[in-house]
Amino acid sequence: MKVQEFRHPEQVLSEFRFRLSVASMFVLVFFGVLVVRLLWLQVIQHDKYSAQAEDNRITIMPIVPNRGVITDRNGVVLARNYSAYTLEITPNRVDDLEFTLDELAKIVDIQPRDRKRFRKLMDESKNFDSVPVRTRLTDEEVARFAVHRYRFPGVELKARLFRQYPQGESASHVVGYIGRISKKDAELISEMDDAENYRGTQYIGKEGIEKRYERELHGQTGFEQVETAAGGRAVRTLSRSNPTPGNNLILSIDFRLQQAVEKAFGDRRGALVAIDPATGDVLAWVSKPTYDPNLFVDGIDPDNWKLLNESLDRPLLNRPLTGTYPPGSTFKPFMSLAALELGKRKTWQAISDPGSFVFGGHRFMDDKVGGHGTVDMYKSIVVSCNTYYYQLANDLGIDAIAGFMEPMGFGRLTGIDLDGERKGTLPSTAWKKKAYKRPELQKWYGGETVSVAIGQGYNAFTPVQLAHAMTVLVNDGVVFKPHLVKAVQDVGTGEKRPVVRGPTGRVPLNPENTDFIRKAMVGVNLEGTSSKVFANAPFTSGGKTGTAQVFSLRGNEKYDAKRLAERMRDHAWFVAFAPAENPTIALAVIVENAGFGAQSAAPIAKTAISTWLSGQGQQAGQQQEAGP
């Protein structure tokens, strides 16, 4: 039989009291932690969490400003805005993207090109950004989607401002275009001092004036304080800071002149730049072929992008800005001016032209078999005598030529208000040493100087450089920086701020020398290589034809355009100014692979001059009728 043991009551009571003490201590410590935490949250961290709670209750919504309008000098609208609905998808809120697109296509017209563009934009955007699948919906499409909206989480209708280029392809290389902000754009914006101003902005200038004057056009973003419920639903607007629209841009371009020149080019490739010598205003900026900037606003579809990007005609190339070409005989008036300024020739000094010039055992041919006979400086420009300039270049030397031409604007940036301008090539001994790494290629040879004299060899300049050089010649050395934006207009006050207010430099030229060169160029149009084109013109103008070789002929092989592939034929140049007595327009035009300048480029120049001068006459008449 087991004996049951009984514990002493005092021992049991002691153990109970110990357990009670431990439990009480635990409870006290627990409540102590709660009190300390409560003090920390409610007292010490009160301001912090109060602000966070306020932030959760209030949402700051950016209000994107209207982008500034772009017009030509006479008020013709080249870029504007309009409002329309877009159908947008936020990819990370959609479970099955393909199924959603298929179902949407049953309600709203979604073409294969829309899907391709959507995927391209989705790749360029962050996955939490909404991406448009269809833009500019009709009222009927908006109504149909609104009925079925509940079926498509992550799909929204949004009212947005769209950029429109009402003139289509005309002046597209000037105006440029906007496009959706890419990841690369976003990174650049984050480094800007006004990055906050781009909150909510989805589009940015990509090319042309739209890009160069982005900050002027963009405006100031506004903000709206909205009180939201727990589910994120907007309850009421607490405050609002209205956006400030972007400034308007008034271009120096005369759209009437621009269209006339584009029409004169037809389907040919080339470029024309026309400038007002007295101000630096660019009156026409033509690059052919061109493109429709409206294609880029919503994000260009892959098919159109491939068509533009892979075309042999390179429609996206801004030829006046980035196309570099040998200037051909349009270089000769500047060579003559260099000879006069450097004291190497007098206007009356003449040579006997046998039809060629022999240097270093090589025969450099003139364009006329048998030569031009006795040739002085005036005649050398009027008939475009190569032999005269072969000899002149040999006497001047390459470094003297480069030293004179560089201040005239050759081989240097003009500073035109477009991004991406190319410097071109003004050859010299120093340039060649820098351009070539191998010592045997760095040496300058006299025969290379001879080629430079007639605008060939290493010479390579942009059309805007030639047009700019013409303005310096016309202005007796006074330099105006060429510009495409004439004024920036404040949308609030209407005040117009000029972009360029006066001359930006001066080349020390003797007016007697520049006057002689201009008279010789007038002779070109009256009795010289372009006289047939300008016969019976109602104005007097100066000009110079030029033919630039695309490739060199072998030995004494004669050039025959008919035997060459079209893209291997010479380029046609023409530079001009008018009226001769008081020029208001100076220009340079090149037609690619078109042969002689007088046949292809000069007629386009004549059209440009006629259009500009007739327009000036109309404006003068209107001012007279208006009275004082």
Side-chain angles (χ1 to χ4, degrees):
M1 182 176 178
K2 187 176 180 181
V3 180
Q4 185 175 3
E5 295 183 5
F6 291 94
R7 294 164 54 185
H8 195 278
E10 289 294 332
Q11 182 181 359
V12 174
L13 183 61
S14 176
E15 289 180 358
F16 174 76
R17 287 173 178 169
F18 175 75
R19 292 173 183 170
L20 183 63
S21 298
V22 171
S24 299
M25 186 65 66
F26 176 79
V27 170
L28 287 174
V29 170
F30 178 77
F31 275 101
V33 170
L34 287 178
V35 170
V36 170
R37 183 62 177 168
L38 187 64
L39 288 172
W40 174 261
L41 294 175
Q42 294 291 332
V43 180
I44 299 175
Q45 294 289 310
H46 175 271
D47 292 341
K48 174 183 175 181
Y49 290 108
S50 176
Q52 286 184 3
E54 188 69 12
D55 289 343
N56 290 335
R57 184 178 71 89
I58 298 173
T59 301
I60 306 298
M61 302 290 292
I63 308 173
V64 180
N66 286 350
R67 195 170 180 85
V69 174
I70 302 175
T71 66
D72 85 330
R73 68 191 298 122
N74 299 313
V76 177
V77 177
L78 303 177
R80 63 188 177 193
N81 311 303
Y82 70 96
S83 181
Y85 282 101
T86 67
L87 189 63
E88 302 192 11
I89 299 177
T90 305
N92 68 342
R93 292 175 57 196
V94 176
D95 294 330
D96 191 334
L97 197 56
E98 288 302 319
F99 175 77
T100 299
L101 288 171
D102 291 339
E103 290 299 304
L104 282 172
K106 297 176 182 178
I107 301 170
V108 176
D109 183 25
I110 299 177
Q111 297 293 323
R113 64 174 180 273
D114 296 319
R115 293 191 182 218
K116 289 180 181 179
R117 184 175 62 244
F118 170 77
R119 292 189 182 92
K120 182 175 181 289
L121 291 173
M122 191 171 64
D123 291 339
E124 295 173 354
S125 305
K126 298 175 183 177
N127 62 355
F128 50 82
D129 287 341
S130 63
V131 181
V133 65
R134 257 295 310 280
T135 58
R136 290 170 285 190
L137 274 69
T138 65
D139 292 341
E140 183 182 345
E141 288 175 322
V142 170
R144 282 204 304 266
F145 175 76
V147 172
H148 297 274
R149 187 173 187 172
Y150 70 94
R151 295 171 46 201
F152 299 100
V155 183
E156 296 178 282
L157 271 177
K158 291 188 178 181
R160 294 195 181 278
L161 282 175
F162 285 89
R163 198 64 160 172
Q164 184 189 42
Y165 303 100
Q167 310 306 332
E169 294 187 355
S170 288
S172 62
H173 289 92
V174 176
V175 179
Y177 56 85
I178 66 168
R180 287 181 66 88
I181 293 175
S182 64
K183 291 179 182 178
K184 184 177 180 180
D185 294 328
E187 292 172 1
L188 294 175
I189 290 172
S190 66
E191 298 172 0
M192 292 164 51
D193 54 7
D194 62 344
E196 188 71 12
N197 193 36
Y198 278 82
R199 283 186 58 187
T201 301
Q202 292 191 327
Y203 296 88
I204 195 170
K206 297 282 189 175
E207 290 291 340
I209 292 298
E210 290 276 28
K211 179 181 180 182
R212 183 62 175 265
Y213 287 84
E214 166 62 31
R215 293 194 176 187
E216 292 282 3
L217 290 164
H218 179 267
Q220 194 69 33
T221 298
F223 293 94
E224 194 173 53
Q225 280 191 332
V226 179
E227 184 178 6
T228 58
R233 181 176 56 85
V235 176
R236 59 174 174 157
T237 299
L238 300 177
S239 65
R240 178 185 175 92
S241 172
N242 290 324
T244 303
N247 291 329
N248 297 331
L249 298 182
I250 301 170
L251 302 190
S252 58
I253 294 292
D254 185 312
F255 189 67
R256 176 172 166 267
L257 172 61
Q258 180 82 16
Q259 280 194 310
V261 174
E262 289 175 347
K263 183 178 179 181
F265 262 96
D267 295 331
R268 293 173 292 182
R269 301 180 304 278
L272 177 143
V273 177
I275 303 175
D276 182 349
T279 61
D281 287 357
V282 176
L283 306 174
W285 182 280
V286 176
S287 182
K288 292 284 288 186
T290 184
Y291 63 91
D292 186 354
N294 291 296
L295 292 171
F296 291 87
V297 175
D298 301 333
I300 190 168
D301 63 89
D303 291 337
N304 275 316
W305 172 249
K306 183 177 180 181
L307 191 65
L308 290 173
N309 200 43
E310 297 182 3
S311 171
L312 292 176
D313 292 335
R314 304 179 71 188
L316 296 177
L317 177 66
N318 197 337
R319 284 169 165 82
L321 188 74
T322 62
T324 55
Y325 312 85
S329 294
T330 61
F331 204 53
K332 291 174 181 176
F334 299 100
M335 284 291 297
S336 287
L337 184 58
L340 294 174
E341 290 291 326
L342 299 175
K344 291 294 184 178
R345 288 288 190 279
K346 301 293 184 182
T347 60
W348 48 264
Q349 286 178 291
I351 66 160
S352 177
D353 173 22
S356 64
F357 176 72
V358 179
F359 182 86
H362 181 78
R363 185 176 297 275
F364 293 85
M365 302 302 296
D366 206 315
D367 62 307
K368 183 179 180 181
V369 177
H372 294 88
T374 302
V375 181
D376 61 8
M377 185 177 286
Y378 180 88
K379 185 178 179 180
S380 74
I381 295 174
V382 171
V383 302
S384 198
C385 175
N386 286 350
T387 304
Y388 183 93
Y389 292 96
Y390 293 149
Q391 294 186 19
L392 175 58
N394 189 45
D395 292 343
L396 283 171
I398 188 61
D399 287 332
I401 295 172
F404 176 81
M405 297 297 176
E406 198 266 345
M408 296 292 291
F410 293 101
R412 62 156 54 165
L413 300 178
T414 65
I416 187 78
D417 44 354
L418 286 177
D419 291 343
E421 182 183 6
R422 290 188 65 181
K423 189 177 179 180
T425 301
L426 177 63
S428 65
T429 54
W431 166 83
K432 198 174 184 186
K433 287 179 181 178
K434 187 181 292 185
Y436 294 93
K437 294 182 180 180
R438 293 164 54 186
E440 64 271 21
L441 297 177
Q442 293 178 339
K443 183 180 178 181
W444 187 271
Y445 297 94
E448 294 173 323
T449 305
V450 174
S451 296
V452 166
I454 60 168
Q456 294 294 157
Y458 296 111
N459 278 325
F461 309 120
T462 61
V464 69
Q465 285 177 328
L466 257 73
H468 175 57
M470 284 301 302
T471 67
V472 178
L473 172 61
V474 164
N475 288 335
D476 294 328
V478 178
V479 180
F480 285 88
K481 184 173 75 172
H483 52 274
L484 287 157
V485 175
K486 188 175 180 66
V488 178
Q489 183 180 37
D490 188 295
V491 293
T493 64
E495 180 185 357
K496 297 177 182 178
R497 169 168 42 91
V499 171
V500 176
R501 296 180 182 272
T504 54
R506 186 180 186 90
V507 181
L509 299 176
N510 186 334
E512 292 183 1
N513 294 335
T514 53
D515 183 60
F516 175 84
I517 299 300
R518 289 195 297 269
K519 287 179 179 177
M521 294 181 71
V522 170
V524 172
N525 286 354
L526 291 178
E527 56 182 309
T529 52
S530 55
S531 58
K532 290 183 180 179
V533 175
F534 285 87
N536 302 317
F539 53 82
T540 304
S541 61
K544 184 68 190 79
T545 55
T547 303
Q549 289 183 348
V550 175
F551 76 105
S552 299
L553 298 172
R554 298 177 183 176
N556 293 326
E557 183 182 359
K558 189 175 181 180
Y559 174 82
D560 185 358
K562 294 179 181 179
R563 296 175 57 186
L564 295 172
E566 189 264 342
R567 293 180 187 273
M568 298 300 290
R569 297 171 189 168
D570 295 343
H571 298 319
W573 273 106
F574 195 77
V575 294
F577 60 87
E581 308 78 23
N582 184 26
T584 60
I585 183 172
L587 60 84
V589 55
I590 184 171
V591 184
E592 293 180 4
N593 310 117
F596 297 109
Q599 294 176 351
S600 302
I604 296 175
K606 183 183 179 183
T607 297
I609 294 171
S610 299
T611 304
W612 171 247
L613 295 182
S614 65
Q616 282 192 313
Q618 290 175 4
Q619 291 172 9
Q622 291 169 358
Q623 290 173 358
Q624 276 190 338
E625 289 175 10

